[in-house]
Amino acid sequence: MTSKTETSAAPDAYAQLVSHARETGLFAGILGLLDWDERTKMPQAAGPHRADQIAFLAGQIHRRQTDPRLGELLGELAATDLAADPHSDAGANIRLLQRDYDKKTRLPQELVEELSRLSVLGQQVWSAARADDDFPRFLPVLEQTIALKRQEAAALGYDDTPYDALLDEYEPGESTANVARALGGLRDALAPLVEQIVGSQQGPSNEIMLRDFPKDAQEAFGIEAAAAIGFDFAAGRLDDTVHPFCATAGPRDVRLTTRYNERDFGDAFFSILHEAGHGLYEQGLLGEHCGLPIGEATSLGVHESQSRMWENQVGRSRAFWRFMTPKAQQHFPAALAGVSAEDMYRAVNTVAPSLIRVDADEVTYNLHICIRFDLEKQLIEGDLAARDLPEAWRAAYQRLLGVTPPNDAQGVLQDVHWSGGSFGYFPTYALGNLYAAQFFAQAARDLGDLDEQFARGEFQPLLDWLRTKIHRHGRRYSAAELAQRITGKPLSHDDWLAQNTAKYGELYQL
Ligand code: ZN
């Protein structure tokens, strides 16, 4: 075949490729909706049939992603003009679909099925083991999971460590060494800051947060706040769940969820802002690219940077509470009578080392992640035996946070991730915090006085900036490329540390 013929055949092959990917995307949206329903509205008795439905759809998606016809189309397109620029619409789609196809087809079907079976079993065993504080019951299935994840890494291939292959699933293109560098630097700088905060006698109190906050009023206020920062409730909704998450059923259908604690205002409020941050990213992806790589989020770390920015850099700022406090008082006239904006700002920014990751404050949260990253890397690299994990966990908590879990339920058994085989996921939480700070520092340089804007309830300039710089590109740029393009430097903990040292230095009079 001459190159002329190849080029003229390319548009047809590309149209078929796009059509194939879009149809796979339709399945993925249906799966997202079923998953959302399972975790919010589904009657309990529907569980077994729902599991069949989800397994069936996941199988269909996997079959489509490994379809030899997809490989042929990608092969036809590889050397054409359409693929020449890796960051053009077509070039990015071809490059990333090829990347996904290569990864999926490297995994033997038996291993995929075994991993999926063990993930379901692992979560069931973990749930029971956590309820009974019984790590030994969880140990055999954890050992099997680690062994399979090592097989998975070997099948996928890696340069330095098997952990690279697993990390790539959540943070494409990122390396273990680079994450270890960023988190190691953060941990070393963070430990003395936490020590100073704990030693301070001058810190704020969270007493205001622990008053009576009726559920219905919390929901109404949460919706008002999410709408204020730009979440479009004509293209999304908020529902109750047990473990808050954000699910996407389609480009104009983004589902936020939360849970309410009537004696702790912060629980639901900041989880709503957090999930709304994820939702804003999903609503900011371009619907015309739905189902294609350039219409998908680029990494979990970047996703988390969006949720964390709205939760922390915006939602825990003094300016935000100057705008929000009078509105909060309309929803909670009894609890917040006589409370000033400054009182609210101080109450939502208390720091205290704790045992549980999901309850951690803005400052100590990253230490919980550093501990998990370090341990799971050792588990996958074979430097730590699973049976020694509880002791290693306790030692790390004592060393970094100064607290020791009284049992494994509040220690090594607290998170679901490892039971489902999600090794390589944890660091994306901390990467999200670092990217949030780095992007926010640049937004502040680009947009002028953000505090003045927030105090007036103007969040659109920041949202537009995020839409232009991040959301509309989908996966066109990796997380590392976005950081470089937007901020002119690679991933770093500098901005996070500067922002938090200044903020908590003032609050705790350090
Ligand atoms: Zn999140």
Side-chain angles (χ1 to χ4, degrees):
M1 207 185 280
T2 68
S3 69
K4 188 165 180 288
T5 324
E6 269 176 12
T7 303
S8 59
D12 186 44
Y14 185 66
Q16 289 180 50
L17 182 76
V18 165
S19 159
H20 190 281
R22 281 192 195 282
E23 284 182 13
T24 310
L26 291 175
F27 277 114
I30 297 167
L31 193 60
L33 189 56
L34 283 181
D35 179 51
W36 169 83
D37 177 72
E38 184 183 7
R39 295 199 269 168
T40 52
K41 307 285 184 189
M42 188 188 79
Q44 197 203 343
H49 187 67
R50 178 57 49 85
D52 288 346
Q53 292 174 318
I54 287 177
F56 173 76
L57 269 178
Q60 292 295 314
I61 291 172
H62 182 75
R63 231 173 51 197
R64 295 186 59 84
Q65 288 170 331
T66 54
D67 184 348
R69 178 68 191 134
L70 181 58
E72 286 166 22
L73 290 171
L74 287 165
E76 286 173 39
L77 289 161
T80 63
D81 289 349
L82 282 171
D85 175 357
H87 292 113
S88 69
D89 284 6
N93 283 332
I94 293 167
R95 169 174 58 90
L96 293 161
L97 285 168
Q98 182 75 59
R99 186 184 205 279
D100 297 347
Y101 179 77
D102 289 345
K103 286 192 69 169
K104 296 278 179 200
T105 50
R106 264 180 230 145
L107 295 177
Q109 186 64 29
E110 286 156 47
L111 181 60
V112 172
E113 283 167 18
E114 184 66 1
L115 275 164
S116 150
R117 191 193 63 80
L118 195 61
S119 153
V120 175
L121 177 71
Q123 291 183 54
Q124 285 167 0
V125 174
W126 162 78
S127 178
R130 184 175 73 156
D132 294 346
D133 181 29
D134 185 0
F135 182 80
R137 195 192 315 174
F138 179 51
L139 180 59
V141 73
L142 177 63
E143 285 172 333
Q144 284 175 46
T145 303
I146 293 166
L148 280 188
K149 296 306 284 188
R150 290 171 58 87
Q151 282 183 41
E152 182 186 342
L156 289 168
Y158 53 83
D159 288 335
D160 289 335
T161 151
Y163 191 86
D164 278 335
L166 305 182
L167 176 67
D168 190 81
E169 189 65 20
Y170 307 104
E171 207 58 27
E174 189 52 273
S175 75
T176 308
N178 193 44
V179 172
R181 179 192 58 75
L183 296 197
L186 178 64
R187 183 190 55 212
D188 294 347
L190 196 45
L193 177 64
V194 170
E195 211 167 291
Q196 279 184 294
I197 289 174
V198 170
S200 167
Q201 306 298 315
Q202 310 295 330
S205 154
N206 68 342
E207 181 277 325
I208 296 168
M209 298 289 99
L210 308 180
R211 297 175 181 175
D212 270 326
F213 294 92
K215 189 222 156 182
D216 289 350
Q218 286 195 49
E219 185 177 62
F221 182 54
I223 287 173
E224 186 175 339
I229 62 171
F231 186 80
D232 179 1
F233 279 94
R237 47 181 294 130
L238 172 68
D239 292 273
D240 295 12
T241 192
V242 180
H243 300 291
F245 64 97
C246 169
T248 297
R252 300 280 294 147
D253 189 352
V254 180
R255 311 293 178 99
L256 312 178
T257 64
T258 194
R259 62 177 165 199
Y260 298 91
N261 177 348
E262 296 198 313
R263 297 307 307 263
D264 191 340
F265 168 79
D267 269 12
F269 185 75
F270 288 103
S271 99
I272 291 171
L273 278 188
H274 180 99
E275 300 307 335
H278 283 303
L280 287 171
Y281 189 10
E282 292 290 317
Q283 288 184 339
L285 298 167
L286 298 182
E288 72 216 60
H289 300 316
C290 178
L292 300 171
I294 59 170
E296 292 170 344
T298 196
S299 79
L300 286 196
V302 172
H303 227 306
E304 193 70 3
S305 78
Q306 303 304 289
S307 58
R308 286 298 187 185
M309 189 186 296
W310 292 105
E311 177 191 357
N312 290 333
Q313 273 82 4
V314 179
R316 294 184 203 272
S317 70
R318 186 174 262 130
F320 180 83
W321 286 102
R322 271 169 60 198
F323 176 67
M324 275 294 170
T325 300
K327 299 182 184 316
Q329 282 168 324
Q330 287 170 5
H331 290 279
F332 312 105
L336 299 183
V339 168
S340 69
E342 184 65 17
D343 294 336
M344 284 300 284
Y345 170 65
R346 293 173 63 80
V348 303
N349 285 300
T350 55
V351 173
S354 63
L355 296 170
I356 307 296
R357 174 183 64 86
V358 296
D359 296 336
D361 56 75
E362 182 179 10
V363 176
T364 59
Y365 188 92
N366 288 314
L367 290 176
H368 292 261
I369 299 307
C370 290
I371 291 171
R372 285 158 177 75
F373 168 65
D374 205 34
L375 293 175
E376 69 175 11
K377 181 170 164 299
Q378 290 182 53
L379 288 170
I380 294 299
E381 292 177 349
D383 294 334
L384 175 68
R387 66 173 177 280
D388 297 329
L389 186 56
E391 188 47 46
W393 182 283
R394 281 191 288 275
Y397 265 77
Q398 186 55 50
R399 193 171 63 247
L400 279 180
L401 283 153
V403 293
T404 305
N407 54 50
D408 290 333
Q410 291 171 280
V412 69
L413 288 174
Q414 68 183 265
D415 297 303
V416 67
H417 303 61
W418 291 336
S419 72
S422 297
F423 288 83
Y425 191 121
F426 279 126
T428 68
Y429 292 121
L431 295 181
N433 288 328
L434 300 189
Y435 281 130
Q438 201 165 327
F439 293 146
F440 190 76
Q442 186 62 44
R445 284 190 285 274
D446 291 354
L447 297 174
D449 197 333
L450 285 173
D451 281 341
E452 278 306 310
Q453 296 170 25
F454 296 166
R456 289 194 299 264
E458 292 167 13
F459 303 102
Q460 195 67 39
L462 176 61
L463 180 57
D464 286 342
W465 187 91
L466 294 168
R467 292 257 192 267
T468 308
K469 303 274 180 183
I470 298 172
H471 302 176
R472 66 193 304 272
H473 295 299
R475 292 172 63 193
R476 189 187 311 266
Y477 303 109
S478 69
E481 286 171 329
L482 282 178
Q484 194 65 49
R485 280 175 57 90
I486 297 170
T487 71
K489 60 182 187 186
L491 172 70
S492 153
H493 67 268
D494 295 348
D495 290 314
W496 189 92
L497 195 65
Q499 289 166 19
N500 285 277
T501 303
K503 176 179 176 180
Y504 290 95
E506 188 218 6
L507 279 163
Y508 281 84
Q509 299 180 25
L510 304 179

